[in-house]
Amino acid sequence: MEDKNNLIVYCEYDEGRIADVSLELLTKGRQLATRLGCRLEALVLGDKLDGIENELFPYGVDVVYKVQDNRLFPYTSLPHSSVVTTLFKEIEPQVCLMGATTIGRDLGPRVSSCLHSGLTADCTSLEIGDHTDAAKGKEYKDLLYQIRPAFGGNIVATIVNPECRPQMATVREGVMKKEIFDANYKGEVINLDPDNYIDPASLVVKIIDREIEQSKVNIKGAHIIVAGGYGVGSKENFDMLFELADVLGGEVGASRAAVDAGFTDHDRQIGQTGVTVRPKLYIACGISGQIQHIAGMNESSIIISINTDPDAPINAIADYVITGSVEDVIPRLIKHYKKNSK
Amino acid sequence: MGLRIIVLAKQVPDTRNVGKDAMKEDGTINRAALPAIFNPEDLNALEQALQLKDAHPGSTITLLTMGLPRSAEMVRESLYRGGDDGVVLTDRPLGGADTLATSYSLAQAIRHMGEFDIIVGGRQAIDGDTAQVGPQIAEKLGLPQVTYAESIQVADPAASGRNRQRQCRRLPSPQRPPHPEVQICRDAQREGRSARRPPGARRCPSLPCHQGVGREGD
Ligand SMILES: Cc1cc2nc3c(=O)[nH]c(=O)nc-3n(C[C@H](O)[C@H](O)[C@H](O)COP(=O)(O)OP(=O)(O)OC[C@H]3O[C@@H](n4cnc5c(N)ncnc54)[C@H](O)[C@@H]3O)c2cc1C
């Protein structure tokens, strides 16, 4: 196989381990690379990378590029983009995937701008397919289909980047599933000399202090989610959702409209540009069910919708529909579960 | 010492009001049917700039926006709130620009606008949520960037460095880039201040707006 034009995943590294989102992308990347007949490559930058390849190979990685240097951890924009762009100019990957995390969304646009190639943010699905440009009368084989909900209304857009390379996309954590490809898979390790990749001029930003705090909200891991939308109406009414979640042993999620209205925190946003969840039970309260929201929760096992509008789009994917107002229904649910859980 | 601050802002359709009538038959958006608003996250950027201006008298704030001619409303809004002037980049060929084309045009405009100390932008625009234009402008201008900033302080006005905090997945860390630089503000806890429109003031009939700057770029 060629050492050029492969599929590469930028792997986020923190305190000795690789971020879940990167492993999820390697899982997806393996399928795409097989379909393309190219190698799956991983790029890791950090300070202590000894043996890190052993965490990556089981995902079917053929090549791990390692750049080990104290100056590459913790992450800062310039040195990382300097390494990534220098390497990409050499190996000319056809596809590059990154997590749509605070790091990926900081690095991706910079790399895209430097290499003059488009970047599709927050993809919900990635596939390989052909494309015909009718205007130019040109055929393109095996392009990356970058799929994400389009703005406004319930349309899903498939975006292709026919001419420029790499074809770049970011995907949020939890959108793809992480799965071991072959526990015994072995690939090649390529150690890159940091001095050839870190532009000295990129070292201008100094981190003077670092404070680490665990996120308090864990909606990704919750089995039961009570999610509130704009229809919940107020911050006070959201307290009812917290009470119900408490009684059920679940977490509270929200639509973007609810977050934008200030009913609850941004960390709780579910959907294309929030968190993707797959709980056993999802109770959607006053949520209309726009495509960007559905994208983040339609793989829930059971969906209950509570909405005043019997025709709300969310009802089409709900297993149970309660037509009524949040103010009326939620207190009754709380009362019911309190009584029956004793 | 005053700072020369550029605030990046975009006029966006109010996505909170995307109803059925906002869609055309072919599934594209009927932008005309949607109210256009100041991208809420860019108001955070403007507010941050105003706080810097309060802390450093003599600072100036220039709003830079690209869009339809009606984006001049954004400059007015900025002036009402305490901004000093604004630039509207508007031209037919700029319509339908993707993030790379947008960041290129804005970067060219910034080159044209002369010296500055800091560029502040909102985290993302609510009609796309891509969060790409800020970092791409930084790259095009060859400047460092700090994304997801929670607050910006000037450590020592005389020195060419600033303290700031960056909100990471779980690691906010103050960073000290040299200036100038690009800052992207997250939806911080700060409440944007309301328009300080003097009582009885009329809309300015003529604004210090320069149009079509991008066309003359180098
Ligand atoms: C680029 C982009 C990214 C986006 N990303 C996301 C995302 O990640 N997550 C997300 O959620 N959205 C996202 N959105 C926004 C999305 O398009 C919708 O605007 C949003 O999901 C709507 O939220 P909602 O259902 O809470 O509000 P609405 O659409 O306003 O729906 C409110 C619902 O509440 C019902 N209701 C009203 N009063 C009551 C009551 N008293 N009791 C019960 N029901 C009531 C109404 O019938 C209605 O169905 C994104 C949009 C864009 C453009």
Side-chain angles (χ1 to χ4, degrees):
Chain A
M1 269 192 255
E2 281 258 35
D3 60 355
K4 279 205 173 188
N5 309 134
N6 293 303
L7 184 152
I8 193 160
V9 175
Y10 169 87
C11 294
E12 279 177 40
Y13 160 90
D14 191 3
E15 310 284 359
R17 53 177 304 276
I18 300 291
D20 274 347
V21 67
S22 306
L23 302 177
E24 293 162 10
L25 287 175
L26 287 174
T27 308
K28 185 71 200 178
R30 181 65 264 170
Q31 295 163 12
L32 300 175
T34 304
R35 168 76 174 72
L36 289 167
C38 71
R39 303 198 304 204
L40 172 64
E41 303 180 326
L43 170 61
V44 199
L45 283 61
D47 59 344
K48 297 189 195 82
L49 303 181
D50 288 343
I52 203 87
E53 60 274 13
N54 299 324
E55 204 185 320
L56 300 171
F57 286 144
Y59 293 90
V61 176
D62 299 303
V63 178
V64 176
Y65 290 101
K66 294 208 282 188
V67 193
Q68 181 165 319
D69 194 290
N70 286 337
R71 296 169 295 180
L72 294 174
F73 185 83
Y75 171 87
T76 45
S77 322
L78 273 76
H80 277 241
S81 51
S82 157
V83 171
V84 173
T85 51
T86 312
L87 178 68
F88 282 10
K89 281 178 192 160
E90 270 169 46
I91 63 171
E92 298 169 19
Q94 56 173 307
V95 174
C96 167
L97 306 179
M98 292 185 187
T101 57
T102 49
I103 288 180
R105 299 177 111 220
D106 184 85
L107 177 68
R110 231 182 142 105
V111 173
S112 133
S113 172
C114 178
L115 300 177
H116 303 286
S117 191
L119 165 67
T120 306
D122 300 321
C123 292
T124 50
S125 172
L126 296 170
E127 287 166 26
I128 303 295
D130 299 337
H131 172 68
T132 315
D133 187 332
K136 288 191 193 145
K138 249 178 125 170
E139 281 271 358
Y140 299 89
K141 286 252 164 274
D142 291 343
L143 291 183
L144 180 70
Y145 283 179
Q146 304 155 39
I147 302 167
R148 60 169 274 168
F151 167 69
N154 291 322
I155 21 174
V156 175
T158 299
I159 296 156
V160 288
N161 177 356
E163 298 286 354
C164 305
R165 295 292 175 270
Q167 305 166 78
M168 293 180 64
T170 65
V171 179
R172 290 196 165 246
E173 181 173 340
V175 172
M176 306 292 175
K177 279 193 186 150
K178 135 180 135 175
E179 243 167 75
I180 297 280
F181 176 69
D182 173 357
N184 299 317
Y185 202 86
K186 282 283 170 290
E188 179 190 352
V189 177
I190 299 180
N191 285 298
L192 302 173
D193 179 355
D195 291 332
N196 294 339
Y197 292 88
I198 306 174
D199 175 359
S202 73
L203 298 166
V204 288
V205 175
K206 299 270 176 293
I207 293 186
I208 47 186
D209 187 18
R210 241 160 80 85
E211 249 173 69
I212 299 177
E213 203 181 306
Q214 286 292 341
S215 154
K216 286 176 220 87
V217 191
N218 179 18
I219 42 176
K220 205 184 147 202
H223 291 310
I224 297 178
I225 293 175
V226 180
Y230 194 66
V232 171
S234 66
K235 215 176 160 134
E236 291 66 42
N237 283 352
F238 247 81
D239 289 342
M240 292 196 300
L241 304 189
F242 279 98
E243 195 180 343
L244 178 61
D246 214 33
V247 176
L248 297 173
E251 264 290 0
V252 172
S255 72
R256 195 178 88 172
V259 172
D260 285 348
F263 299 165
T264 190
D265 296 334
H266 180 73
D267 310 25
R268 299 189 183 273
Q269 181 182 319
I270 291 170
Q272 185 210 347
T273 56
V275 185
T276 297
V277 296
R278 297 180 179 82
K280 297 211 170 83
L281 174 62
Y282 192 91
I283 308 180
C285 313
I287 293 180
S288 62
Q290 298 307 312
I291 191 161
Q292 293 92 351
H293 187 78
I294 305 275
M297 49 66 73
N298 61 359
E299 287 179 33
S300 305
S301 308
I302 293 179
I303 298 168
I304 302 177
S305 161
I306 302 169
N307 203 305
T308 42
D309 175 6
D311 298 322
I314 188 129
N315 292 356
I317 62 156
D319 299 275
Y320 301 95
V321 172
I322 302 174
T323 302
S325 81
V326 167
E327 296 87 338
D328 185 29
V329 177
I330 303 288
R332 284 158 71 180
L333 286 176
I334 295 172
K335 212 164 130 199
H336 176 84
Y337 285 112
K338 267 195 179 153
K339 209 160 74 197
N340 292 300
S341 57
K342 280 203 186 118
Chain B
M1 187 191 73
L3 301 164
R4 283 148 305 180
I5 308 167
I6 296 177
V7 173
L8 301 170
K10 181 181 182 187
Q11 194 173 45
V12 293
D14 190 350
T15 55
R16 283 165 290 198
N17 288 325
V18 180
K20 287 171 197 95
D21 50 330
M23 301 307 295
K24 291 191 228 162
E25 296 249 308
D26 60 359
T28 58
I29 330 153
N30 181 7
R31 283 186 190 259
L34 286 173
I37 56 167
F38 201 114
N39 178 42
E41 306 223 10
D42 295 337
L43 284 176
N44 294 336
L46 178 57
E47 173 59 23
Q48 177 61 74
L50 288 165
Q51 285 179 14
L52 284 172
K53 185 175 167 179
D54 287 348
H56 303 282
S59 298
T60 56
I61 298 176
T62 303
L63 188 103
L64 171 60
T65 184
M66 177 172 126
L68 297 172
R70 71 173 182 194
S71 313
E73 291 160 15
M74 308 268 296
V75 176
R76 286 194 186 92
E77 179 78 32
S78 163
L79 295 180
Y80 295 151
R81 287 173 188 255
D84 295 276
D85 58 5
V87 174
V88 180
L89 199 56
T90 182
D91 200 359
R92 223 166 251 287
L94 299 173
D98 62 6
T99 65
L100 280 176
T102 304
S103 56
Y104 174 79
S105 310
L106 289 169
Q108 292 295 74
I110 291 167
R111 286 207 172 94
H112 192 87
M113 284 160 60
E115 293 196 0
F116 60 90
D117 294 295
I118 182 166
I119 303 174
V120 195
R123 179 183 57 152
Q124 58 197 30
I126 59 165
D127 61 345
D129 277 12
T130 67
Q132 291 179 7
V133 171
Q136 287 175 341
I137 290 176
E139 195 279 332
K140 298 232 179 305
L141 296 174
L143 298 177
Q145 74 200 31
V146 177
T147 50
Y148 298 90
E150 301 244 311
S151 73
I152 306 173
Q153 295 142 28
V154 178
D156 172 6
S160 62
R162 299 191 185 94
N163 273 326
R164 70 212 66 255
Q165 296 201 318
R166 175 175 190 278
Q167 157 79 40
C168 251
R169 190 161 47 105
R170 47 198 187 79
L171 31 139
S173 46
Q175 300 185 349
R176 182 192 280 274
H179 79 170
E181 65 188 290
V182 178
Q183 279 281 335
I184 315 299
C185 287
R186 198 178 116 91
D187 48 346
Q189 291 79 0
R190 68 184 76 88
E191 294 286 319
R193 63 192 80 188
S194 57
R196 280 186 278 180
R197 191 169 169 180
R202 295 259 173 80
R203 290 203 148 182
C204 327
S206 69
L207 287 164
C209 294
H210 318 285
Q211 300 209 342
V213 169
R215 299 209 83 179
E216 305 161 30
D218 45 26

